[in-house]
Amino acid sequence: MGTSQANPATGVNPSDPSSPELSLPNGKAGGAISWHVVGNFRLFKNEIDVAYYQDLIKKAATINTDDLFADRSSIPDTYYDDNTGSYTVFNEGTGTYSDSENYVSPKRWRIALTYDAGGGGQCEWIIDGESKGSGSCKDFIVEVEGPKHEIAVRVAGGTQSVTQKIVIQDILVAAIGDSWMAGEGNPDVTHVGHIGLFTKRAAQWLGRNCHRSLYSWPVLSAIQLASNHPQASVTLLDYACTGATIDKGILGTHLGAKEEETFRSQPPIARFGSDTFGSEPEATDAIYLEQRKRSQIDKLKTDLQAGKGRRPDVVLVSIGGNDVGFVKIVVKTEILNEEPCSKDPNHPNQDGQFAEKLKRLTNDLDRVRQEIVKLAPDADVFLSTYPSPLRLNADQFCDDPTAHSSGKTREFGGLVDFFVKGITAEEAKCASEQIVTPLNEALRRFAKNHQGEKWRVIDTDGLKGHGYCAPNPQVQTGAWFNTLKDAHQRCGSMRGSMHPNLFGHLFYVEHAYPIINTAVTRRLTER
């Protein structure tokens, strides 16, 4: 390999740590001036909210989720507008959406400056030749417009100054997908009270019709990126929606989850059939209903146009599970006593039918790829596989044929127990090996076939355990998937059962973040 040369557009030499404009991942700008972007995960309006999720990632091993969720009574303020389904910055002073402060394509940042040799004294800070006055030599905060600046500093009363050039970069991450990406089963504010009876508080979500949660792995991964790249900002566009398929959700209309008001009005037996499998709610708000009709690709396209045609750097994709009926098969096996390996020719996972669905999935994934190429031709694309919720550990499958007696589903004083059949080890093994495994193999093949276009797979094969039947779902060593009881208690419905709980999403972060970060670091140094 030859010697790296400075980028002619920025003057940055990625292999030279002393390069004056190099934005280093460890937060050091070189010389005596250090700096970082304040609030560099741009989805949140308040830094204290970012700190909460950063702390959650750091302390995953010691978290008790019951205590964690009990502490949250409101959703943090973000730049996502659930009524319009868009991400933007609203200027409260003018009452308009400001292009100069557009969420998708940032023009302004706040940065914190520290002069290492200034001690605890006062320094005069000069940005691009303009004095910003005297202030602390440590963490002096100033707002700047544009990405490239020359910073000068001198200790108050002194004559010598130190100059440093900086470049602020923004990484745009887009996420499209289904319930496993959205964070289904992990509401931002948990349900309190019995379902339909004496409900004290309904579950609340960042994206209420999509059950999109800030506890999801795309959000947590983006926060981790921002934490480890303090001299860059991270902008997230997350459109994942529970129940989404390629035709209904990614590329076409999908209204999402059933509204809780409609759900609670139904008798328990009706909820099993409708709420679990994606019936679409009634809506009265015309704007809200209209945005719900738009596909995820269409919403991404609209937000990118608002951002002056900006292109995503990273695209996260989780799709295929609903297309082949994975979640329906698993949940119906537990609830409705259907055999996952039934020989019934009309059964959704009968051999010929399932094979045909996998074949169609490959073709449909290519349609998604073509749309991504149009909107993000140079993006690094990461396609996620699905871990099985039916493994107790690497060697054993869940053997839970009488789930009602185990207490894993108990709710309504035993009413739900009457309908829940449970899953045998044989059924769990069949569903895992004949449904999940072929699905993941198809996803891996697709990503491999398009690796020349920067497609990679986020492989979840490392999660062969921690299934829904594992003990202690409130702690990291226990279950990483929601049981029916978990879903009822946290969401007020059964929709989130068999989906990753918080620890399942933290597992995704553990496996997804390193390969995403490699791509992001490359981009930061090559620009």
Side-chain angles (χ1 to χ4, degrees):
M1 294 178 63
T3 304
S4 296
Q5 300 296 317
N7 185 320
T10 65
V12 174
N13 185 338
S15 66
D16 181 6
S18 66
S19 181
E21 293 186 8
L22 181 59
S23 180
L24 297 176
N26 65 5
K28 293 295 184 182
I33 298 175
S34 59
W35 63 281
H36 67 271
V37 178
V38 178
N40 68 329
F41 180 62
R42 301 185 58 251
L43 179 60
F44 291 110
K45 293 183 179 181
N46 302 311
E47 276 190 272
I48 191 171
D49 292 319
V50 181
Y52 167 83
Y53 292 91
Q54 289 172 331
D55 197 49
L56 183 154
I57 296 170
K58 292 177 184 176
K59 297 181 177 179
T62 60
I63 288 174
N64 181 302
T65 52
D66 281 349
D67 295 338
L68 174 76
F69 290 130
D71 289 340
R72 305 299 281 179
S73 60
S74 62
I75 302 175
D77 288 333
T78 71
Y79 289 114
Y80 171 69
D81 184 346
D82 195 38
N83 288 321
T84 64
S86 297
Y87 294 81
T88 188
V89 175
F90 185 71
N91 188 321
E92 295 180 357
T94 63
T96 61
Y97 294 96
S98 172
D99 287 337
S100 63
E101 296 177 346
N102 189 275
Y103 176 76
V104 181
S105 185
K107 302 295 188 297
R108 294 188 177 95
W109 291 265
R110 289 194 307 148
I111 58 174
L113 304 166
T114 294
Y115 180 40
D116 299 335
Q122 295 285 297
C123 285
E124 180 185 5
W125 293 95
I126 303 158
I127 313 294
D128 299 325
E130 178 184 348
S131 176
K132 298 299 180 180
S134 294
S136 175
C137 294
K138 182 179 181 181
D139 288 335
F140 179 82
I141 296 178
V142 62
E143 183 176 284
V144 296
E145 183 168 356
K148 299 173 70 173
H149 302 279
E150 183 175 86
I151 312 296
V153 61
R154 56 174 167 257
V155 176
T159 58
Q160 300 296 316
S161 64
V162 172
T163 300
Q164 174 76 44
K165 291 183 178 181
I166 69 169
V167 175
I168 306 169
Q169 301 188 58
D170 182 72
I171 295 295
L172 181 58
V173 180
I176 57 174
D178 52 22
S179 55
W180 286 50
M181 173 175 275
E184 174 66 273
N186 301 275
D188 296 293
V189 176
T190 56
H191 167 91
V192 176
H194 293 289
I195 306 173
L197 301 171
F198 311 110
T199 297
K200 296 179 181 178
R201 181 182 70 200
Q204 299 174 36
W205 308 80
L206 177 69
R208 65 187 184 273
N209 67 298
C210 284
H211 286 194
R212 190 182 313 120
S213 170
L214 293 170
Y215 292 110
S216 66
W217 69 265
V219 176
L220 298 177
S221 296
I223 290 173
Q224 188 84 325
L225 280 174
S227 298
N228 290 341
H229 294 278
Q231 291 183 342
S233 58
V234 176
T235 300
L236 175 66
L237 301 174
D238 184 2
Y239 306 97
C241 194
T242 192
T245 65
I246 290 174
D247 282 329
K248 294 184 177 181
I250 303 298
L251 301 180
T253 297
H254 171 62
L255 296 187
K258 179 175 288 294
E259 298 283 3
E260 289 302 317
E261 293 81 5
T262 305
F263 171 80
R264 288 198 300 271
S265 70
Q266 295 179 324
I269 186 62
R271 296 170 192 159
F272 285 120
S274 61
D275 188 64
T276 305
F277 307 124
S279 295
E280 295 173 340
E282 298 178 3
T284 56
D285 187 304
I287 296 176
Y288 181 54
L289 180 59
E290 186 61 30
Q291 70 91 355
R292 293 178 67 181
K293 293 180 180 178
R294 296 163 55 211
S295 70
Q296 294 180 40
I297 285 292
D298 183 55
K299 291 178 181 179
L300 174 58
K301 184 186 301 183
T302 299
D303 280 335
L304 293 177
Q305 288 172 346
K308 306 301 182 185
R310 189 179 176 196
R311 307 292 195 181
D313 300 292
V314 172
V315 179
L316 308 177
V317 182
S318 172
I319 201 68
N322 289 324
D323 294 82
V324 300
F326 164 45
V327 175
K328 284 187 179 181
I329 291 168
V330 171
V331 178
K332 280 189 174 182
T333 298
E334 180 177 17
I335 297 172
L336 302 179
N337 199 23
E338 292 190 6
E339 299 294 334
C341 297
S342 172
K343 297 305 179 183
D344 178 355
N346 297 317
H347 197 271
N349 59 308
Q350 194 270 347
D351 289 345
Q353 204 176 82
F354 185 72
E356 182 60 30
K357 287 185 177 183
L358 280 180
K359 182 179 179 180
R360 288 202 305 268
L361 176 63
T362 300
N363 294 331
D364 289 343
L365 279 169
D366 198 62
R367 292 162 54 210
V368 175
R369 180 193 65 81
Q370 292 174 36
E371 293 299 322
I372 291 175
V373 167
K374 294 176 186 176
L375 299 177
D378 188 47
D380 289 275
V381 184
F382 299 92
L383 178 63
S384 174
T385 61
Y386 296 82
S388 171
L390 304 177
R391 284 183 174 269
L392 176 62
N393 53 47
D395 302 314
Q396 295 177 285
F397 292 90
C398 289
D399 191 9
D400 195 27
T402 54
H404 57 280
S405 63
S406 69
K408 288 183 170 60
T409 60
R410 185 160 292 125
E411 188 63 40
F412 303 118
L415 181 57
V416 169
D417 306 346
F418 180 78
F419 299 104
V420 175
K421 167 252 180 187
I423 296 178
T424 67
E426 182 181 0
E427 291 169 338
K429 183 175 188 292
C430 177
S432 296
E433 294 183 349
Q434 297 190 29
I435 299 170
V436 182
T437 297
L439 168 62
N440 287 339
E441 288 174 350
L443 295 172
R444 290 189 195 98
R445 281 195 302 272
F446 187 86
K448 183 176 181 181
N449 289 341
H450 297 283
Q451 59 186 357
E453 299 174 352
K454 299 182 182 177
W455 278 66
R456 298 173 183 81
V457 70
I458 296 174
D459 208 319
T460 57
D461 256 9
L463 180 48
K464 290 185 176 179
H466 296 279
Y468 86 97
C469 57
N472 300 321
Q474 290 78 32
V475 297
Q476 191 184 39
T477 55
W480 289 359
F481 296 89
N482 285 325
T483 64
L484 286 170
K485 182 179 179 180
D486 296 331
H488 280 301
Q489 289 182 335
R490 293 176 186 165
C491 308
S493 76
M494 62 187 295
R495 180 180 284 275
S497 63
M498 297 295 174
H499 285 72
N501 60 20
L502 175 61
F503 297 117
H505 282 277
L506 288 170
F507 165 85
Y508 266 95
V509 174
E510 181 182 350
H511 282 70
Y513 177 76
I515 59 174
I516 297 172
N517 183 55
T518 297
V520 167
T521 301
R522 186 198 73 241
R523 286 177 173 272
L524 290 174
T525 55
E526 288 179 352
R527 284 178 173 175

